[in-house]
Amino acid sequence: MTTHAAADGALISIPALLARNARKFGANTAYREKEFGIWQSWSWLATAEEVRAIALGLMSLGIEKGDYVAIIGRNRPALYWSMVAAQKVGAIPVPLYQDAVAEEMAYVLENCGARFVIAADQEQVDKVLAVQERVKVIEHVVYLDARGLRKYDHSRLHAMKDVQAEGRAAHERFEAELKRREDAITYDETCVMLYTSGTTGRPKGVVLSNRNIIETSKNSAEFDNLRPGDEVLAYLPMAWVGDFIFSIGQAYWTAFCVNCPESPDTMMTDLREIGPTYYFAPPRVFETQLTNVMIRMEDAGRFKKWLFRVFMDHAKKVGPALLDGKQVSGWDRFKYALGDLFVYGPLKNTLGFSRVRVGYTAGEAIGPEIFDFYRSLGINLKQLYGQTEASVFITQQPDGEVRSDTVGVPSPGVELKIGDNGEVFYRSPGTFVEYFKNPESTKDTKDPEGWVATGDAGFIEPETGHLRIIDRAKDVGKMADGRLFAPKYVENKLKFYPNILEAVVFGSGREFCTAFVNIDLTAVGNWAERNNIAYASYQELAGHPRVYEMIQNHVEEANRSIAGDEMLSGCQVHRFLILHKELDADDGEMTRTRKVRRRIVEEKFADLLEALYGGKDSVYTETEVTYEDGRKGKIKATLEIRNAVVAGDTGRIAAE
Amino acid sequence: MLDAGTDGYVTEDGRKIGGVLMEMKNITLRFGGVEAIKDISFDIREGEIRAIIGPNGAGKSSMLNVISGFYVPQEGEVWFRGQRRPQMKPFQVAAQGIARTFQNIALFEGMSVLDNIMTGRLTQMKSGLAAQTVWLGKAQREEVANRARVERVIDFLEIQHIRKTPVARLPYGLKKRVELARALAAEPMLLLLDEPMAGMNVEEKEDMSRFILDVNDEFGTTIALIEHDMGVVMDLSDRVVVMDYGKKIGDGTPDEVRNNQDVIDAYLGVSHD
C-alpha cells in the first residue's frame, strides 16, 4: 500500500478521487440541487473547478496546512465542495450539526480550534458570531446565502462567491503552492474529523484518515455494486459519519451523483422527483412514511381500501421471497405483477422508491412489520450496523440474506469478536485513528491491537453468522432479583406501535420495570380526529383517558410478547405513564441523531420515576423546556400513572 | 424630532431613508354622515417602514384603503412620487407599484400557492388571451420570466414546501405568508400590510417580523403597515402615525409616540368630548 503521496493516479485522498472523476467522468452529473424550483446540476468537471476556486480563495485568506475548517449548514453542494477544498489545501474539514445551539457549537469550535468557519446562512453566522467572543481562534467566516447579512461587519466575514472570485483572480499566485500541498497529502493524514453526538458527556472528535474513508468506501461500494449513474439524496446531517461516507466517500469513489433537496421541508417531494437508486434512512423516516400511507388509506374509499388490503396481503406472502430470488409459483407471480400494476408501483412512485436498488436503514432497530412492508413492495431495504469510529460499516446484510432481527454479516475487511461480557468488538481498515486531544478515551475504546469496543452487547448466530444486537452494553443490567434487564429490547417492542414515538424503560436494580411513553402526534392526532376527540395541545392529547387506554393495550400486548422470551420475561412493564412533552434534543434529552440519553432523562424526570415506583396514581410535575431560539419556559402537568397487566410472570406481581 | 427635509434621514441602525414617496394632504373620508378620517396629513418616505396604529375603529384600514385607491376621499390630495394622484381604480394603483395584503386573507382558496402568487404578476403580463391560450413564443417567454421572479419570492419567504399545495389546506400563518408573497411578486415600490401579524402566535410573529425587515432590507421596498401588536410596531417601524376616532393624534419615531400624552390617553381610554 502506498503511504506516501501521489504519483499521478494514486487514489489516496478525496481531492485525488475528484481529479480522477473529472478526468474519467467529466461530463457526468456530480451534484444536483433544487433552487428556485429547478434542479441545477454540476458535472464532475464543473465540480472540480468550483472546488479549485474555493481552495484558492481559502489560500488567499491565509489558510495553512493542518488548519481546521468548520462547516455548518444543511446539505448543499457548495458545503460539500468546501469540505473537499479544505482537504485540497491540506486543512481538515469538521462538519457541525446545523441545528446545534450556539453553546454546543462553541464547545466543538473551541475543541478543534477552527480558524475558518463556512456557514450556510444568517442563522448559522449569527451563532458563530455569538460564540466568537469566547472562541477566539475563529479568524474568518464564509457564508453562502447573503440574505440578511448585508449590514454585518465584513472585515472578517466573506461571501462564498467573493472568496471564489478572489481565488480565481489569484490563481497565478497560488496555483503552484496548491499543487504542492495537494501532492503532499498522505494516506494516513486526517481526511475528516467528526464529532460523535455522545449519549454521555461531551462530544468527542473522531479523527478519520484518508485510509479509513477510502478503504471503507471502496469495500462497501463493491459490496453493493454501486456504480456511476447511481443517485443518492443527501438529506441527513452533514456532521453525521453516514452522510460523509455516502455523499463524499462512496460518491467520489464510484463517481455517482449527489442530489441536495431544496429545503428540509421539501425532502419528500424532492425524493420523489429524483427517485434515488441508493437510499439511506433511519428507521424513523420509514416509520413516518408508513404511518402517512396508512393514515391516508384510512381516508380512502371502500374499493381502494379493499384493493390495498388484498394486494398488500399477497405482497406480504410472496414479496420478500421474490426479492430474495426464491421459488414462487407462477400464479403467485402473476398476482404479484397485477398488484405491482395497481398498488405497489404507484405506491413506490409516491414514496419516491421506484428506482431504489439498494436501501439501508440503521441507527436503531426497525420494527419487523415496517421492515417487511417495504420489502414486500419489492424495495431492497437492508440493515447495517456501524458507528462513527468504524467509518460506518461494521456489519451489513448481503442481498438474499435480509432479516429484520439481525444486522448482517461483517462488512468486507471487518473482523468481529464478542467479549466476555457479551460486548461486540471489531477491527477494520475503517477503524478511527484517535479521539482528538483525548488519548484517554482513545485508550479506553481502542486496544493496542486495534480492536474497538462498540459498547453494544450482542451475539453472532451460529447457523448464519449474522450479528444480533441486544442492547447498549452499559444499559444491560440486572434487576433486583437478578434477572436480566435489557431496556432497549423492551423499548423497541413498544416503539414498533405507530402510536408510540419513543419509550424509555427503567428497571435496573429494581423490583420491576416501568416505562415513560411519548405518543406519536401524527398517528395519535389522526386517530383522535377520526374518533371525534378534541384536544388543544400535545399535552392534553397525551393525557387523554382514551389515549391512555390505547397505550395501555399496546403495553400489555408488548408484555405478552416479552413473556415469550424466557431470558427477558422479567422486563415486562408493570407501570407506565405518558410524558407530557416530546423528548427533544434541544432539552438535552436526546442526541442530535435522536437517541435517548437515558441518564439525563432519568435525572430530569426523577420525580416521575419516583412516582412510578412509589405506587401513586398520579403525579404533578414541572418541566423546563428550551424553545428553538434558545429561550426557556416551563410546562406544568399532572400525569396519570397506570398499571399494566403482565403475562405469565414467573416471579412476582407488581408491588402495589 | 426627525429632519423632515426633502433629503430624508438616517435611522438608528444606519439605513438611509430617502425623500417623500407618498404624501397624504388633508384627507377626509366620509361614509354618509360618518367621518372615518378627519383631515389627516402625513408622508411616507422612500425605504422606510411606516406604521399606522390606533385603537379599534380609529380609521386605520380606511386610511390604507385610501392609499391603495379603494376608497376615494371626499377632501384632500394623495401625492405619489411627486405627482398628485388623480382618482384611480385599484388596479391602476397596483400598476403604479403599490401592492397590499388584507386584514382578512383574500386569496384564491382553490388555487395552489404558486398560482396565487403568479396572480401578483398579472400587472406585468402583456400578452393577450389568444397568445396565452396557444402558449407559444412571447406568452411562454413572459410566463417563464414571471415564474422566475415568483420563485425568488418563494425562496425568499421559505415556502418551497407548499408550492403546489392548494391554499385552502394551509394553516392561517402560512396563508398570511402566501399573501405577502403575492404582494411581493408584484415588485411593489410601496407595500401595504393590513395587520400582518393578526391571529399569529409568538413564533409566527417573529418569523413575519423577520420577513418584513428582510423585504425592506433586501429589496429596498417601502412599507406601510397597520398593526395592533405594540411590541411589534415599536420594533419594526421607523416612524409611526397614531390615529384615534379618525384623527391623527401623533406622528414620529416609536419613542416620541410612546411618550406622547394623547397617545397614552387614547390607549388607556380617556373619555372623548
Side-chain angles (χ1 to χ4, degrees), chain B residues 36-54:
Chain B
I37 300 174
K38 294 172 199 152
D39 189 26
I40 285 189
S41 305
F42 66 92
D43 62 358
I44 301 170
R45 287 169 173 275
E46 232 174 286
E48 82 179 337
I49 300 180
R50 186 77 147 121
I52 305 173
I53 63 170

PDB file of all heavy atoms in Angstrom, chain B residues 36-54:
ATOM      1  N   ALA B  36     -64.947  58.914   8.781  1.00  0.00           N
ATOM      2  CA  ALA B  36     -63.990  57.876   9.157  1.00  0.00           C
ATOM      3  C   ALA B  36     -62.597  58.468   9.318  1.00  0.00           C
ATOM      4  O   ALA B  36     -61.836  58.055  10.192  1.00  0.00           O
ATOM      5  CB  ALA B  36     -63.975  56.762   8.118  1.00  0.00           C
ATOM      6  N   ILE B  37     -62.277  59.420   8.474  1.00  0.00           N
ATOM      7  CA  ILE B  37     -60.968  60.069   8.549  1.00  0.00           C
ATOM      8  C   ILE B  37     -61.188  61.577   8.512  1.00  0.00           C
ATOM      9  O   ILE B  37     -61.917  62.077   7.657  1.00  0.00           O
ATOM     10  CB  ILE B  37     -60.068  59.655   7.361  1.00  0.00           C
ATOM     11  CG1 ILE B  37     -59.853  58.128   7.367  1.00  0.00           C
ATOM     12  CG2 ILE B  37     -58.733  60.374   7.426  1.00  0.00           C
ATOM     13  CD1 ILE B  37     -59.108  57.618   6.155  1.00  0.00           C
ATOM     14  N   LYS B  38     -60.575  62.262   9.471  1.00  0.00           N
ATOM     15  CA  LYS B  38     -60.785  63.713   9.555  1.00  0.00           C
ATOM     16  C   LYS B  38     -59.489  64.467   9.330  1.00  0.00           C
ATOM     17  O   LYS B  38     -58.604  64.456  10.189  1.00  0.00           O
ATOM     18  CB  LYS B  38     -61.328  64.078  10.947  1.00  0.00           C
ATOM     19  CG  LYS B  38     -62.713  63.526  11.212  1.00  0.00           C
ATOM     20  CD  LYS B  38     -63.092  63.749  12.669  1.00  0.00           C
ATOM     21  CE  LYS B  38     -64.229  62.829  13.053  1.00  0.00           C
ATOM     22  NZ  LYS B  38     -64.243  62.494  14.458  1.00  0.00           N
ATOM     23  N   ASP B  39     -59.361  65.047   8.175  1.00  0.00           N
ATOM     24  CA  ASP B  39     -58.299  65.998   7.896  1.00  0.00           C
ATOM     25  C   ASP B  39     -56.920  65.497   8.340  1.00  0.00           C
ATOM     26  O   ASP B  39     -56.265  66.096   9.181  1.00  0.00           O
ATOM     27  CB  ASP B  39     -58.634  67.326   8.612  1.00  0.00           C
ATOM     28  CG  ASP B  39     -57.679  68.431   8.181  1.00  0.00           C
ATOM     29  OD1 ASP B  39     -57.151  68.320   7.041  1.00  0.00           O
ATOM     30  OD2 ASP B  39     -57.466  69.359   8.964  1.00  0.00           O
ATOM     31  N   ILE B  40     -56.530  64.383   7.768  1.00  0.00           N
ATOM     32  CA  ILE B  40     -55.241  63.810   8.165  1.00  0.00           C
ATOM     33  C   ILE B  40     -54.173  64.058   7.094  1.00  0.00           C
ATOM     34  O   ILE B  40     -54.429  63.898   5.899  1.00  0.00           O
ATOM     35  CB  ILE B  40     -55.379  62.302   8.437  1.00  0.00           C
ATOM     36  CG1 ILE B  40     -56.091  62.101   9.773  1.00  0.00           C
ATOM     37  CG2 ILE B  40     -54.023  61.614   8.429  1.00  0.00           C
ATOM     38  CD1 ILE B  40     -56.105  60.706  10.263  1.00  0.00           C
ATOM     39  N   SER B  41     -52.983  64.419   7.546  1.00  0.00           N
ATOM     40  CA  SER B  41     -51.847  64.581   6.639  1.00  0.00           C
ATOM     41  C   SER B  41     -50.653  63.833   7.212  1.00  0.00           C
ATOM     42  O   SER B  41     -50.398  63.899   8.407  1.00  0.00           O
ATOM     43  CB  SER B  41     -51.452  66.054   6.517  1.00  0.00           C
ATOM     44  OG  SER B  41     -52.559  66.821   6.119  1.00  0.00           O
ATOM     45  N   PHE B  42     -49.962  63.129   6.359  1.00  0.00           N
ATOM     46  CA  PHE B  42     -48.662  62.564   6.747  1.00  0.00           C
ATOM     47  C   PHE B  42     -47.946  62.111   5.484  1.00  0.00           C
ATOM     48  O   PHE B  42     -48.542  62.100   4.403  1.00  0.00           O
ATOM     49  CB  PHE B  42     -48.814  61.414   7.742  1.00  0.00           C
ATOM     50  CG  PHE B  42     -49.492  60.188   7.198  1.00  0.00           C
ATOM     51  CD1 PHE B  42     -48.744  59.157   6.642  1.00  0.00           C
ATOM     52  CD2 PHE B  42     -50.882  60.067   7.253  1.00  0.00           C
ATOM     53  CE1 PHE B  42     -49.375  58.038   6.159  1.00  0.00           C
ATOM     54  CE2 PHE B  42     -51.510  58.941   6.762  1.00  0.00           C
ATOM     55  CZ  PHE B  42     -50.755  57.913   6.207  1.00  0.00           C
ATOM     56  N   ASP B  43     -46.689  61.785   5.628  1.00  0.00           N
ATOM     57  CA  ASP B  43     -45.967  61.327   4.437  1.00  0.00           C
ATOM     58  C   ASP B  43     -45.298  59.972   4.693  1.00  0.00           C
ATOM     59  O   ASP B  43     -45.140  59.553   5.837  1.00  0.00           O
ATOM     60  CB  ASP B  43     -44.925  62.365   4.009  1.00  0.00           C
ATOM     61  CG  ASP B  43     -43.867  62.577   5.081  1.00  0.00           C
ATOM     62  OD1 ASP B  43     -43.984  61.950   6.151  1.00  0.00           O
ATOM     63  OD2 ASP B  43     -42.935  63.369   4.854  1.00  0.00           O
ATOM     64  N   ILE B  44     -44.986  59.308   3.607  1.00  0.00           N
ATOM     65  CA  ILE B  44     -44.233  58.049   3.685  1.00  0.00           C
ATOM     66  C   ILE B  44     -42.984  58.246   2.843  1.00  0.00           C
ATOM     67  O   ILE B  44     -43.075  58.657   1.682  1.00  0.00           O
ATOM     68  CB  ILE B  44     -45.063  56.868   3.126  1.00  0.00           C
ATOM     69  CG1 ILE B  44     -46.369  56.710   3.905  1.00  0.00           C
ATOM     70  CG2 ILE B  44     -44.246  55.575   3.175  1.00  0.00           C
ATOM     71  CD1 ILE B  44     -47.342  55.734   3.281  1.00  0.00           C
ATOM     72  N   ARG B  45     -41.839  57.971   3.461  1.00  0.00           N
ATOM     73  CA  ARG B  45     -40.590  58.230   2.747  1.00  0.00           C
ATOM     74  C   ARG B  45     -40.022  56.960   2.147  1.00  0.00           C
ATOM     75  O   ARG B  45     -40.284  55.860   2.617  1.00  0.00           O
ATOM     76  CB  ARG B  45     -39.574  58.857   3.710  1.00  0.00           C
ATOM     77  CG  ARG B  45     -39.939  60.270   4.018  1.00  0.00           C
ATOM     78  CD  ARG B  45     -39.110  60.813   5.145  1.00  0.00           C
ATOM     79  NE  ARG B  45     -39.393  62.230   5.277  1.00  0.00           N
ATOM     80  CZ  ARG B  45     -38.778  63.167   4.552  1.00  0.00           C
ATOM     81  NH1 ARG B  45     -37.845  62.841   3.690  1.00  0.00           N
ATOM     82  NH2 ARG B  45     -39.101  64.424   4.698  1.00  0.00           N
ATOM     83  N   GLU B  46     -39.199  57.174   1.125  1.00  0.00           N
ATOM     84  CA  GLU B  46     -38.642  56.045   0.393  1.00  0.00           C
ATOM     85  C   GLU B  46     -37.758  55.191   1.303  1.00  0.00           C
ATOM     86  O   GLU B  46     -36.834  55.696   1.935  1.00  0.00           O
ATOM     87  CB  GLU B  46     -37.795  56.585  -0.755  1.00  0.00           C
ATOM     88  CG  GLU B  46     -38.163  55.982  -2.092  1.00  0.00           C
ATOM     89  CD  GLU B  46     -37.393  56.649  -3.199  1.00  0.00           C
ATOM     90  OE1 GLU B  46     -37.743  57.790  -3.518  1.00  0.00           O
ATOM     91  OE2 GLU B  46     -36.440  56.028  -3.707  1.00  0.00           O
ATOM     92  N   GLY B  47     -38.047  53.902   1.348  1.00  0.00           N
ATOM     93  CA  GLY B  47     -37.198  52.972   2.094  1.00  0.00           C
ATOM     94  C   GLY B  47     -37.552  52.831   3.550  1.00  0.00           C
ATOM     95  O   GLY B  47     -36.926  52.055   4.269  1.00  0.00           O
ATOM     96  N   GLU B  48     -38.576  53.544   4.020  1.00  0.00           N
ATOM     97  CA  GLU B  48     -38.852  53.429   5.447  1.00  0.00           C
ATOM     98  C   GLU B  48     -39.978  52.436   5.727  1.00  0.00           C
ATOM     99  O   GLU B  48     -40.734  52.044   4.844  1.00  0.00           O
ATOM    100  CB  GLU B  48     -39.175  54.804   6.063  1.00  0.00           C
ATOM    101  CG  GLU B  48     -40.586  55.281   5.892  1.00  0.00           C
ATOM    102  CD  GLU B  48     -40.814  56.632   6.559  1.00  0.00           C
ATOM    103  OE1 GLU B  48     -40.067  56.996   7.493  1.00  0.00           O
ATOM    104  OE2 GLU B  48     -41.737  57.339   6.131  1.00  0.00           O
ATOM    105  N   ILE B  49     -40.040  52.029   6.978  1.00  0.00           N
ATOM    106  CA  ILE B  49     -41.155  51.212   7.439  1.00  0.00           C
ATOM    107  C   ILE B  49     -42.028  52.128   8.288  1.00  0.00           C
ATOM    108  O   ILE B  49     -41.604  52.626   9.330  1.00  0.00           O
ATOM    109  CB  ILE B  49     -40.670  50.001   8.255  1.00  0.00           C
ATOM    110  CG1 ILE B  49     -39.768  49.116   7.398  1.00  0.00           C
ATOM    111  CG2 ILE B  49     -41.860  49.198   8.769  1.00  0.00           C
ATOM    112  CD1 ILE B  49     -39.236  47.880   8.103  1.00  0.00           C
ATOM    113  N   ARG B  50     -43.231  52.380   7.811  1.00  0.00           N
ATOM    114  CA  ARG B  50     -44.101  53.368   8.406  1.00  0.00           C
ATOM    115  C   ARG B  50     -45.307  52.643   8.969  1.00  0.00           C
ATOM    116  O   ARG B  50     -45.972  51.890   8.240  1.00  0.00           O
ATOM    117  CB  ARG B  50     -44.534  54.327   7.283  1.00  0.00           C
ATOM    118  CG  ARG B  50     -45.341  55.525   7.737  1.00  0.00           C
ATOM    119  CD  ARG B  50     -44.434  56.554   8.353  1.00  0.00           C
ATOM    120  NE  ARG B  50     -44.896  57.914   8.126  1.00  0.00           N
ATOM    121  CZ  ARG B  50     -45.183  58.754   9.121  1.00  0.00           C
ATOM    122  NH1 ARG B  50     -45.073  58.365  10.368  1.00  0.00           N
ATOM    123  NH2 ARG B  50     -45.556  59.992   8.842  1.00  0.00           N
ATOM    124  N   ALA B  51     -45.586  52.834  10.230  1.00  0.00           N
ATOM    125  CA  ALA B  51     -46.725  52.148  10.830  1.00  0.00           C
ATOM    126  C   ALA B  51     -47.877  53.106  11.063  1.00  0.00           C
ATOM    127  O   ALA B  51     -47.667  54.285  11.336  1.00  0.00           O
ATOM    128  CB  ALA B  51     -46.310  51.508  12.139  1.00  0.00           C
ATOM    129  N   ILE B  52     -49.079  52.592  10.935  1.00  0.00           N
ATOM    130  CA  ILE B  52     -50.268  53.341  11.318  1.00  0.00           C
ATOM    131  C   ILE B  52     -50.913  52.551  12.442  1.00  0.00           C
ATOM    132  O   ILE B  52     -51.257  51.384  12.251  1.00  0.00           O
ATOM    133  CB  ILE B  52     -51.256  53.465  10.142  1.00  0.00           C
ATOM    134  CG1 ILE B  52     -50.561  54.084   8.924  1.00  0.00           C
ATOM    135  CG2 ILE B  52     -52.471  54.295  10.561  1.00  0.00           C
ATOM    136  CD1 ILE B  52     -51.412  54.095   7.671  1.00  0.00           C
ATOM    137  N   ILE B  53     -51.022  53.173  13.618  1.00  0.00           N
ATOM    138  CA  ILE B  53     -51.612  52.436  14.729  1.00  0.00           C
ATOM    139  C   ILE B  53     -52.790  53.218  15.287  1.00  0.00           C
ATOM    140  O   ILE B  53     -53.022  54.373  14.936  1.00  0.00           O
ATOM    141  CB  ILE B  53     -50.593  52.150  15.853  1.00  0.00           C
ATOM    142  CG1 ILE B  53     -50.089  53.458  16.477  1.00  0.00           C
ATOM    143  CG2 ILE B  53     -49.427  51.359  15.320  1.00  0.00           C
ATOM    144  CD1 ILE B  53     -49.270  53.243  17.740  1.00  0.00           C
ATOM    145  N   GLY B  54     -53.506  52.561  16.171  1.00  0.00           N
ATOM    146  CA  GLY B  54     -54.658  53.210  16.776  1.00  0.00           C
ATOM    147  C   GLY B  54     -55.609  52.152  17.304  1.00  0.00           C
ATOM    148  O   GLY B  54     -55.535  51.003  16.894  1.00  0.00           O
TER     149      GLY B  54
END
